[in-house]
């Protein structure tokens, strides 16, 4: 056990440092099922999920991965029982309060993407504070998708471009992939190279639809609260066995 902890504090030797993904995105599924298997209430799964996410962020820093994006709350998640929604909103706020000083000290830039205007005001304040105070940090870009939906993101980008065309700021011919990307919530962030989804479902669930165009997808049956460094190692090994052709033919 001690041996593996020592090993996992550094990039595992069988991984090629030059072929790591720059940006990893995660769909953290399975918190509720994990809690149920342990005979615990669902919220215990979310609490454990936060610890796992925190260690993954640290692991990315340890192993030299420069961007991590996590799907924390989708636009569809409002349909969950009110108690669970309230718990999650409170949890996000408490995590930000608790972790901000450490993120500043560790040079982490945190960014939230999604329709943030409809989140509880106290959470919005905490989000603004954390984004403002880490905006110049550069060791790792940590993005949290909250009240996020990929289709909604594309619609809002289209609206804002259409408005600029209407006002004469842009011509329709100016619209290309780069310009469109710059109107997404994730403007300025490189697209994910690897998407990891836990708990076995083979779906994108409206996550980063535009940005995921060329991402490699890794699905594991492991539930999110059990997704540790060993599991991340497996995901990266699988990624490094893929041939990323971006539409080209093999050499
Ligand atoms: C999916 O499991 C998980 C969520 C909807 C919440 C994930 C949120 C966190 C781990 C907190 C992140 C916090 C911050 C501030 C970054 P599920 O409930 O859908 O599990 P199930 O499919 O087993 O029911």
């Amino acid at each position: 056990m001690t041996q593996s902890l020592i090993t996992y504090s550094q990039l595992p030797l069988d991984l090629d440092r030059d072929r790591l993904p720059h940006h990893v995105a995660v769909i953290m599924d399975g918190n509720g099922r994990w809690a149920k298997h342990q005979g615990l209430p669902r919220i215990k799964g979310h609490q454990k999920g936060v610890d796992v996410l925190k260690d993954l962020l640290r692991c990315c820093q340890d192993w030299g991965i420069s961007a991590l994006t996590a799907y924390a709350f989708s636009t569809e998640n409002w349909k969950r029982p009110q108690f669970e929604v309230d718990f999650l909103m409170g949890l996000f706020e408490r995590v930000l309060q608790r972790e901000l000083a450490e993120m500043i000290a560790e040079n982490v830039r945190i960014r939230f993407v999604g329709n943030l205007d409809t989140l509880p005001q106290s959470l919005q304040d905490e989000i603004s504070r954390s984004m403002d105070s880490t905006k110049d940090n550069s060791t790792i870009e940590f993005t949290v998708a909250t009240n996020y939906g990929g289709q909604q993101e594309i619609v809002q980008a289209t609206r804002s471009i259409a408005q600029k065309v209407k006002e004469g700021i842009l011509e329709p011919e100016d619209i290309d992939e780069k310009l469109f990307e710059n109107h997404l919530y994730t403007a300025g962030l490189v697209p994910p190279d690897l998407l990891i989804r836990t708990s076995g479902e083979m779906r994108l669930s409206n996550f980063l639809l535009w940005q995921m165009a060329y991402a490699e997808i890794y699905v594991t049956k492991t539930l999110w609260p059990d997704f540790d460094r060993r599991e991340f190692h497996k995901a990266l090994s699988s990624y490094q066995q893929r041939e990323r052709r971006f539409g080209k033919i093999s050499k």
Side-chain angles (χ1 to χ4, degrees):
M1 195 65 209
T2 322
Q3 174 67 38
S4 74
L5 284 177
I6 291 168
T7 311
Y8 279 97
S9 65
Q10 287 167 4
L11 184 71
L13 288 172
D14 61 310
L15 293 178
D16 179 350
R17 191 172 290 281
D18 295 331
R19 289 195 308 116
L20 286 173
H22 297 287
H23 183 176
V24 173
V26 285
I27 300 181
M28 311 178 286
D29 204 6
N31 291 349
R33 270 165 283 174
W34 178 89
K36 196 172 170 205
H37 294 166
Q38 317 273 322
L40 296 169
R42 292 177 56 82
I43 58 170
K44 292 287 175 196
H46 297 316
Q47 278 169 338
K48 178 76 169 56
V50 171
D51 297 340
V52 167
L53 182 58
K54 192 178 163 188
D55 190 55
L56 183 61
L57 177 63
R58 178 149 294 140
C59 184
C60 287
Q61 291 169 271
D62 290 346
W63 294 1
I65 291 168
S66 53
L68 175 69
T69 296
Y71 203 4
F73 195 88
S74 76
T75 46
E76 285 70 41
N77 285 152
W78 297 106
K79 295 178 200 142
R80 292 183 174 220
Q82 193 58 44
F83 166 76
E84 186 170 336
V85 170
D86 292 345
F87 176 82
L88 283 168
M89 294 299 143
L91 181 68
F92 299 157
E93 204 175 312
R94 286 194 301 279
V95 169
L96 283 180
Q97 281 162 351
R98 197 178 65 206
E99 305 296 338
L100 183 58
E102 205 170 320
M103 285 193 285
I104 293 171
E106 293 189 7
N107 203 21
V108 175
R109 177 177 182 184
I110 187 166
R111 181 170 7 195
F112 280 75
V113 293
N115 180 3
L116 307 178
D117 297 343
T118 53
L119 296 172
Q121 189 56 52
S122 53
L123 176 56
Q124 287 187 46
D125 294 345
E126 226 35 81
I127 287 175
S128 303
R129 197 163 75 95
S130 64
M131 287 190 6
D132 285 349
S133 47
T134 63
K135 67 179 185 324
D136 298 321
N137 291 358
S138 56
T139 301
I140 185 163
E141 301 239 34
F142 177 43
T143 305
V144 185
T146 309
N147 195 18
Y148 175 88
Q151 292 179 340
Q152 291 84 344
E153 179 184 37
I154 290 169
V155 168
Q156 76 75 33
T158 309
R159 270 202 196 130
S160 113
I161 293 169
Q163 186 63 34
K164 288 182 185 166
V165 172
K166 191 175 162 194
E167 289 169 13
I169 301 167
L170 284 177
E171 294 297 326
E173 305 74 59
D174 296 331
I175 304 169
D176 60 10
E177 289 88 338
K178 194 82 232 149
L179 183 127
F180 198 83
E181 256 163 37
N182 288 337
H183 287 79
L184 295 170
Y185 298 133
T186 50
L189 197 62
V190 294
D193 304 292
L194 170 65
L195 167 70
I196 298 172
R197 179 164 191 154
T198 56
S199 97
E201 250 84 53
M202 303 278 194
R203 283 193 289 274
L204 280 182
S205 295
N206 206 10
F207 188 39
L208 301 177
L209 296 181
W210 171 283
Q211 299 86 337
M212 222 66 95
Y214 286 102
E216 296 294 329
I217 301 178
Y218 176 84
V219 176
T220 170
K221 284 204 158 57
T222 302
L223 305 176
W224 178 253
D226 291 325
F227 190 85
D228 57 11
R229 289 183 181 218
R230 207 178 304 254
E231 294 292 331
F232 191 39
H233 180 187
K234 282 190 217 161
L236 293 175
S237 297
S238 165
Y239 173 81
Q240 293 203 332
Q241 280 156 24
R242 319 267 181 101
E243 187 196 6
R244 302 191 76 203
R245 294 205 302 269
F246 299 98
K248 299 193 289 273
I249 56 169
S250 308
K251 274 186 249 157

